Amino acid sequence: MPLFIHCTIWLFLCMVCNFFSFLSAQESETFYKQSLEQYTLGNYPQALEMINRAISIDSMKADYRIHRASIYYSQEKYDLVIRDCYAAGEYSANDARIYLLRGKVCMATKSYGGAIVLLGKAIKNTTDVKLLSEAYFQRGNAYFEMAQYREAIEDFKSAGQFGEKSVDLLMWVRGFESLALRNLLKLLIFPFSLLHVFFHGQCMG
């Protein structure tokens, strides 16, 4: 076969492959967008079906894995969330969305120490205002559950700076500041209460 014909056939085959690859990419993106729409409406089974189709076409897209992990989180399937987060991490290292999802799973399973670490990584690896607001708010909840009220207050304030619901968060901050103050007063008063009981007992004796 002449070299010219051989090259022409090879070029044609490459063009055909590229064309079908383009069609596949377009199809996967269509399923992904449909899944996002269903997810926004709260139709999680339909959203899951669509994103599964997208992943079956292109399994190496981190956005698809992260989105499916979000669906699993809404369905409280936390083991599947973690599985997809690790898979997405292979294609998008240090993605703040992955750390945020893993941190939220820790919150849901009451692993507050792990949540603080992961949410801190989410905060460090993003400049997205929405992600920052949620990460700070979630970490504030983790600090509060661990009775680290000063850190919780600071995170709630940061969440208010980045989020749209700053007025609501301000109410949270004021409430937690008040609670933290009450707990601090209890800690200060408790030793004196013990001394009072001791001396009162001595006097009665």
Side-chain angles (χ1 to χ4, degrees), residues 117-135:
V117 172
L118 290 165
L119 293 166
K121 290 182 178 181
I123 291 167
K124 181 181 178 181
N125 286 283
T126 189
T127 56
D128 183 271
V129 171
K130 186 176 180 180
L131 283 175
L132 283 169
S133 178
E134 186 173 5

Side-chain angles (χ1 to χ4, degrees), residues 37-108:
E37 292 174 0
Q38 293 299 319
Y39 178 76
T40 302
L41 295 172
N43 298 328
Y44 302 129
Q46 293 89 337
L48 184 59
E49 180 182 351
M50 292 297 104
I51 197 60
N52 282 339
R53 291 186 181 181
I55 291 173
S56 68
I57 297 170
D58 186 354
S59 61
M60 300 176 66
K61 203 74 172 286
D63 288 345
Y64 297 173
R65 296 282 186 173
I66 292 170
H67 175 56
R68 188 168 70 175
S70 299
I71 298 172
Y72 284 140
Y73 178 80
S74 298
Q75 295 178 323
E76 300 182 4
K77 298 177 180 178
Y78 302 129
D79 56 330
L80 297 180
V81 175
I82 298 301
R83 186 187 70 180
D84 266 346
C85 282
Y86 279 119
E90 295 180 5
Y91 309 114
S92 182
N94 293 322
D95 193 308
R97 296 170 297 172
I98 296 172
Y99 290 128
L100 178 60
L101 277 166
R102 290 176 59 194
K104 288 166 67 175
V105 169
C106 285
M107 288 297 298

Side-chain angles (χ1 to χ4, degrees), residues 100 104 107 119 123 130-144 151-152 154-160 162-163 165 168-170 172-173 176:
L100 178 60
K104 288 166 67 175
M107 288 297 298
L119 293 166
I123 291 167
K130 186 176 180 180
L131 283 175
L132 283 169
S133 178
E134 186 173 5
Y136 273 118
F137 185 74
Q138 292 288 342
R139 193 175 70 172
N141 282 325
Y143 277 130
F144 179 75
E151 291 84 354
E154 291 303 315
D155 270 1
F156 284 127
K157 287 180 178 177
S158 295
F162 291 108
K165 298 181 179 180
D168 294 337
L169 284 170
L170 181 60
W172 276 76
V173 169
F176 286 133

